[in-house]
């Protein structure tokens, strides 16, 4: 059974090694999540240390999927802090372990991320993904709207430049407020 939960600051700190393992696996398998292959474990540890620090400061929300006491997925929300944009958040780094892909884990992580964003008063979410990735289909199926594509926006883990697709989603609260 896979459980999805939001980590508090102490849990985020404790999960750093498992998150680093997950990130290394994803990058080495070709995921387009900000890093190049091969990803060194120490670099992954440093990245998640920064994320855990921002969770502790209330700047990010970290959500994980666990199976049999093992971390098998994650996603985090960047909470935009600026006064003129504090109604929105960005979905970042959705990763699902290879052995549990295509079992709805990514969707479940996204559902919780959207719910957590709403609890934080966020009414607009944004994200980007490599054009053609399976995640692009997931986002469309979950009601995300494509804003556009930027050619050669980011490097794949192999180094090749690839197009990126940008999406947004208004949370139901945003639509309800607009109707008032």
């Amino acid at each position: 059974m896979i459980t999805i939960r939001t980590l508090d600051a102490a849990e985020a700190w404790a999960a750093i090694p498992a998150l680093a393992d997950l990130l290394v696996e994803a990058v080495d398998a070709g995921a387009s999540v900000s890093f190049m292959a091969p990803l060194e474990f120490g670099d992954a540890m440093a990245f998640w240390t920064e994320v855990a620090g921002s969770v502790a400061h209330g700047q990010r929300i970290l959500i994980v999927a666990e199976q049999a006491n093992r971390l098998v997925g994650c996603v985090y929300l960047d909470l935009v802090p600026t006064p003129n944009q504090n109604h929105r958040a960005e979905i970042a780094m959705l990763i699902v372990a290879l052995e549990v892909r295509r079992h709805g884990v990514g969707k479940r992580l996204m559902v919780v991320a959207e719910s957590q964003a709403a609890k934080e008063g966020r009414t607009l979410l944004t994200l980007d993904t490599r054009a053609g990735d399976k995640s692009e289909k997931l986002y469309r199926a979950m009601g995300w709207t494509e804003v556009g594509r930027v050619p050669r926006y980011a490097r794949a883990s192999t180094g090749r430049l690839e197009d990126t697709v940008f999406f947004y989603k208004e949370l139901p609260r945003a639509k309800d407020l607009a109707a008032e």
Side-chain angles (χ1 to χ4, degrees):
M1 175 175 198
I2 295 175
T3 59
I4 309 293
R5 66 189 186 94
T6 300
L7 301 186
D8 64 22
E11 292 169 323
W13 287 112
I16 290 171
L19 289 162
D21 282 336
L22 186 66
L23 180 58
V24 168
E25 175 191 77
V27 171
D28 289 351
S32 179
V33 287
S34 302
F35 293 93
M36 307 294 289
L39 177 59
E40 296 293 325
F41 183 75
D43 292 336
M45 289 281 292
F47 171 77
W48 287 111
T49 297
E50 188 273 325
V51 171
S54 62
V55 168
H57 288 101
Q59 299 163 327
R60 287 185 174 136
I61 297 172
L62 178 58
I63 302 153
V64 298
E66 296 169 316
Q67 181 179 50
N69 294 319
R70 181 173 171 266
L71 197 137
V72 294
C74 68
V75 66
Y76 68 85
L77 284 165
D78 275 328
L79 302 173
V80 180
T82 55
N84 71 333
Q85 295 182 42
N86 63 6
H87 64 288
R88 70 177 187 86
E90 182 175 342
I91 300 281
M93 199 144 323
L94 175 64
I95 303 173
V96 176
L98 298 175
E99 75 269 12
V100 297
R101 287 186 183 169
R102 309 301 300 158
H103 289 91
V105 177
K107 180 177 182 177
R108 290 179 59 203
L109 285 163
M110 289 295 292
V111 166
V112 173
E114 291 177 17
S115 174
Q116 288 294 318
K119 286 179 185 174
E120 291 291 322
R122 306 305 163 124
T123 56
L124 178 67
L125 298 176
T126 60
L127 63 80
D128 65 83
T129 190
R130 177 173 46 194
D133 269 1
K134 290 177 182 158
S135 60
E136 185 179 349
K137 290 179 184 176
L138 169 68
Y139 303 138
R140 290 181 196 287
M142 292 185 70
W144 288 74
T145 301
E146 180 179 333
V147 176
R149 295 171 182 252
V150 178
R152 297 171 305 284
Y153 184 79
R155 293 192 185 281
S157 63
T158 61
R160 191 177 98 211
L161 288 171
E162 295 187 328
D163 298 355
T164 296
V165 182
F166 290 84
F167 289 91
Y168 76 91
K169 185 172 189 179
E170 288 188 279
L171 299 178
R173 183 171 167 228
K175 293 174 186 170
D176 293 345
L177 292 174
E180 292 179 3

